Structures are given as C-alpha cells and as structure tokens.
Amino acid sequence: MTVPVLIVGAGPTGLTAAVELSRLGIDVRIVDRAARPSAESRALAVQARTMELLRVRGVGDEMLALGNRARAAGLYTGDRKLAPIELHRMPSTFNFILMLAQSETERLLTEQLARQGVKVERGVEVTSVRPGAETVTVTLRGTEGGLELVDASYVIAADGPHSALRKALGVPFPGRTLPQDYVLADLHIAGDLPQDEVSIFLARHGFVAVFPMGRGRFRMMATDPDRRLVGDSEPTVTQMQELYDRTVGVPARLYDVNWSSRFRINSRHVPTMRMGRVFFGGDAAHVHSPAGGQGMNVGIQDMVNLSWKVAMVLDGRARATLLDTYSPERLPVIRTVVRFTEIGTRVFNSTNPLVHALRVRLAPKALGRNAVQNAAAAMFGQVSAGYRDGMLAEGGGGLAGLRAGDRVPDVDGLYDALDLGGLTLFSGVRAVADVGRAWDGVVSVRDAAALAPEGWLLVRPDGYLAAAGGPGDAALLDRWLEQWFVRPAGASVNER
C-alpha cells in the first residue's frame, strides 16, 4: 500500500499531526500499537500557546468547556504562602493553565479526526522500517498477526519515549535519568486548597505539588527522597496521605484515588528531529521533567510546525527544502524546555537545608519583580518561544517590534483571519498586496490597513511571523517567497 504520510502513534502528538494533515487535504494513515486509548489522565496542563493554535483548528472551545483554569501557581512552605507566580500575566487571551486530562484531549482530537474521515488503526505495531530515496517502507503487524508493507512519502514518528522508529533508524536519545523517586496520583482532596491555583509546597525533605482538576479532584505529585514507599506496587491513598501530611501545612483528607504510579524522570532529546523522510515529534523526540506542565504542549506544537510544511511540499506549493526548517526551529525550543524543567526540578527537589532556606528567602524577592513575573508567565504559557534564529527567518525583516520568527499575538481576531493551509499577507499597501496576489495559492491577502498601516505582515499557518516590512519592501516579500515556495504557473514578470 502507498500513502503520502504514515503517522505512528496516536497520542496527542500523532493525533494533532493527523488532524492537521487530513484537514489540509493530505491522505494519512495513523496507527498505534495499543488496542485502545488510555483512560489515564497522564499529561494534564494545556498551555496558552497550545490553546491559541487549537482553537482555530476546531477543538479549543470544547477543551475550554471541559477543563479547569488555574490562573496562578502558589509557592508555600508549610501553610505559609511565599509568593504566587501570576499566570494571568501571560500575554494571551488564554492567560491561564487549562487543567484537562490527557485522555480527554486525545478523545477530542480523535473525534475531530473522525469528522475529517480518518480513523485510528489500533493494535498495529511497526516491526521494521527501510528508508528509501522517494519513500519509506514500513512493515506493520496487525491485530491478527499478519504483516503489511506500507510505502509512505513521509513518516511521522510519534510513538513515545520507547519509539520503535527511532530505535530502528539508530537515532540517538542522549540524556540522563534523574535520581529522585516520585509518586503521582489523581484523587480527591477535602481541604482548604484553592481550586483555581496550582499549589507547590516546599520542605527540607522534598516537595508536594497539587494541580486542581475541578470539583474537588486534584493531581498530586510528590518526591519520596528517603523511599518511604517501599515496593513496586501503585501507591495507595494511605501512602499519598503520609507524603502529603509531612510536607503540606494545610490539613486535608485524601480519598478516592483514580490512578497512581511511581516514576523517575528522564531528561533526553534527539540530536535531530529528522532522518531522511522520517520526522520525530513528541515523546519520541524529547522527554523531560513534568515541572511546568510543558511536555504534551511541546509535542502538539511540533506537529503544528511540521504539518503545514509537509502539506505544502506534497501538493507542490513549496520547495522540499522547506522541510529542512523543522528540526532547526523546534530543537532550540526543546533544549530550552529541557533546561528549564531540569533547573526547576533540581530547585524543588533539593533536600539540602541551605538550599531550602534560600528558596524560602529568595522566592518572594524574585517574584516580587514585575519583570520576573512577566517572564515566568510567558515561559509557562510557551508564548515566549519563537524562531528568530531559524532558517525561515533569514531575510524576513520585521515591523513594529516584531521580527521574522516571532509569535504574532492573536489580537483583533487575527488568527481567525489566517489561512491555515498557507501564508497570510496582512497589508494596506497596494504594491505589496499585488505581490501577494501574484503568489495566489501560496499566499492569501487580507486588506489590513488598520493592522499594518505603514507596512505589511506575512504570517505562517502556525501563527509565527514569516516576513514583514514597510511600504517600499515589496521586493523583499517576493525574494523571501521565491526562496521557499513554488511560484504559481502563469505569474508574469510584471506581477513580480
């Protein structure tokens, strides 16, 4: 069988890729070795940047209706609040962390995918992969044990931290396993804990973090540095209560555990997110501490970055070199997330009395600064990540404080005006708009004299600035497009 894109893995990363590509008219197959979707909540936090991207793609409103919003993260010692991290400062309409079980996020993406005519093939695993010059041949084993050869123009490996595709292609996964032991549980807590705030309790013997999921249900994460929880079985409610009581100064009763687990943190990422015609994303490409609730969001954003590029190359509107920009754009973002989460984990985990004293003293001072609060909120919400140093940003110019590669804020309904299958030119300058119209099929032109009265903005489908300039920069726009895209047939020299 031949297919344009084979997606391996039906977690949030793979499902996002399938939703995006099928929406853009690309035939896809998506397979997953698991016989059924996971019922566990696992990843919980949906960040502002992810919400900005998913809302205009048809699933954001349902997520908002189901999730619980946390507008701050409070740092405590005992029952004393040291300082808040004011998440409402995020420069986004979604200036909060949406707490929504990963199982629900996957369900909503799967339903959207079904509306687009694609069904996840479950109980199907990869047994071998053979890269070629024009296609990748993947051997699949189905539920009945039979083997099938699939030739795909491109393969997306979204098959998790133990990725069969990554291993088969010999792609390294360097990093380390952090030494601390952790426990995790979804349960109910009866006590005076805020329902709209993440609560992080710091103590000399570790920490407890409590994430509100709504209606009295919480996700609790805790360290177990002296390994009080012996054995390999799932932690019980009694054991979680013990960890809570010795760290948290707010009395509460824990009950009704939905699921629990023990784990250690791996902090790793691939050196490249592309191997020929195979692209890696999500946990197949990067794993790290859950501090800050970043992981699932990074994987979803990997696929929003990649999918429009693959679609435009496959339908002949873009040069194949556009795909070379995926890994150089995403890897710096991933390195920053890995570094940030490792630092946060070390600070929270330390059992050194001196470190604990410094945490208690310095946290209120640092978080008392507006600049620190603003930066922290933007980083948590992933709205500060961008691609200024990426290949696509070269020669792209800028306008009004924005430079090529920056996230374009969703103001005045701008994202609703985006062409999610191509580039969108916002301009009130006739000469620039004429250049955009000459690239019909690649560029959609929006009359936006109020938005860019002195120039123009060319925005990518993923909401980042592709290029920008003033009224005399029409030639800059044309040169930038020529580098990455295929000029429509019939475009005249005069149109150039």
Side-chain angles (χ1 to χ4, degrees), residues 92-436:
S92 170
T93 302
F94 306 102
N95 57 346
F96 47 82
I97 297 177
L98 186 72
M99 299 296 174
L100 182 66
Q102 180 177 326
S103 54
E104 286 293 277
T105 299
E106 291 181 5
R107 179 181 66 82
L108 293 174
L109 288 168
T110 301
E111 290 174 357
Q112 178 65 29
L113 187 60
R115 286 192 288 269
Q116 294 172 193
V118 180
K119 183 179 179 180
V120 177
E121 300 175 43
R122 293 203 165 271
V124 179
E125 63 178 321
V126 172
T127 62
S128 69
V129 55
R130 187 172 71 249
E134 300 297 327
T135 60
V136 181
T137 301
V138 179
T139 304
L140 302 177
R141 178 185 289 119
T143 54
E144 303 299 323
L147 298 180
E148 177 189 7
L149 291 180
V150 177
D151 288 320
S153 298
Y154 298 103
V155 174
I156 294 176
D159 50 342
H162 305 292
S163 170
L165 282 164
R166 191 189 65 237
K167 293 176 181 177
L169 292 172
V171 177
F173 203 36
R176 62 198 186 97
T177 302
L178 304 184
Q180 293 85 2
D181 293 304
Y182 296 84
V183 294
L184 197 68
D186 279 2
L187 39 69
H188 281 76
I189 300 179
D192 192 20
L193 292 172
Q195 295 280 335
D196 60 351
E197 180 179 298
V198 177
S199 301
I200 303 169
F201 296 88
L202 306 174
R204 292 182 180 179
H205 46 257
F207 82 95
V208 166
V210 182
F211 305 86
M213 301 173 70
R215 298 180 297 279
R217 194 159 56 98
F218 291 82
R219 162 76 56 82
M220 175 177 159
M221 176 181 171
T223 49
D224 185 22
D226 45 10
R227 300 187 179 179
R228 292 191 174 197
L229 276 61
V230 296
D232 296 324
S233 60
E234 295 175 349
T236 65
V237 67
T238 301
Q239 291 171 322
M240 298 302 293
Q241 184 80 58
E242 179 184 354
L243 292 176
Y244 180 94
D245 289 343
R246 71 172 185 160
T247 303
V248 181
V250 179
R253 180 175 66 89
L254 280 55
Y255 65 100
D256 191 19
V257 175
N258 183 42
W259 70 276
S260 64
S261 67
R262 306 165 187 261
F263 67 100
R264 282 193 169 183
I265 292 172
N266 281 290
S267 192
R268 306 175 183 277
H269 66 79
V270 293
T272 178
M273 298 180 72
R274 180 184 186 185
M275 181 65 71
R277 290 178 170 267
V278 179
F279 299 90
F280 300 91
D283 288 352
H286 44 81
V287 292
H288 46 79
S289 166
Q294 305 289 294
M296 179 183 70
N297 297 272
V298 179
I300 289 172
Q301 292 168 43
D302 289 342
M303 294 301 102
V304 177
N305 179 294
L306 175 64
S307 295
W308 67 272
K309 298 173 182 178
V310 170
M312 293 188 78
V313 169
L314 281 172
D315 66 19
R317 291 181 294 155
R319 303 179 190 277
T321 50
L322 183 65
L323 300 177
D324 295 336
T325 69
Y326 170 61
S327 185
E329 285 191 339
R330 293 304 296 163
L331 268 180
V333 174
I334 290 160
R335 292 189 190 105
T336 299
V337 170
V338 169
R339 183 168 60 249
F340 157 64
T341 55
E342 275 206 25
I343 291 171
T345 301
R346 287 176 186 169
V347 170
F348 288 162
N349 280 353
S350 178
T351 56
N352 185 305
L354 178 59
V355 173
H356 178 65
L358 287 172
R359 288 186 303 212
V360 171
R361 172 180 287 187
L362 295 180
K365 292 182 179 179
L367 292 173
R369 298 180 176 181
N370 283 330
V372 173
Q373 284 282 1
N374 291 338
M379 183 170 59
F380 271 104
Q382 299 186 352
V383 294
S384 57
Y387 309 131
R388 276 192 181 187
D389 297 326
M391 298 161 61
L392 270 179
E394 294 177 6
L399 182 73
L402 284 175
R403 285 173 47 191
D406 289 352
R407 162 187 165 267
V408 177
D410 184 12
V411 295
D412 298 328
L414 186 144
Y415 278 31
D416 291 302
L418 287 180
D419 178 350
L420 299 180
L423 301 161
T424 308
L425 178 64
F426 296 92
S427 176
V429 181
R430 180 175 178 179
V432 173
D434 286 345
V435 171

Side-chain angles (χ1 to χ4, degrees), residues 46-53 55 60-61 64 69 71 87 90-97 381 383 410:
V46 185
Q47 302 292 357
R49 185 58 181 153
T50 301
M51 289 304 307
E52 289 179 347
L53 296 170
R55 181 189 66 80
D61 289 341
L64 287 171
R69 305 179 189 192
R71 298 186 181 275
L87 301 174
M90 292 179 195
S92 170
T93 302
F94 306 102
N95 57 346
F96 47 82
I97 297 177
V383 294
D410 184 12

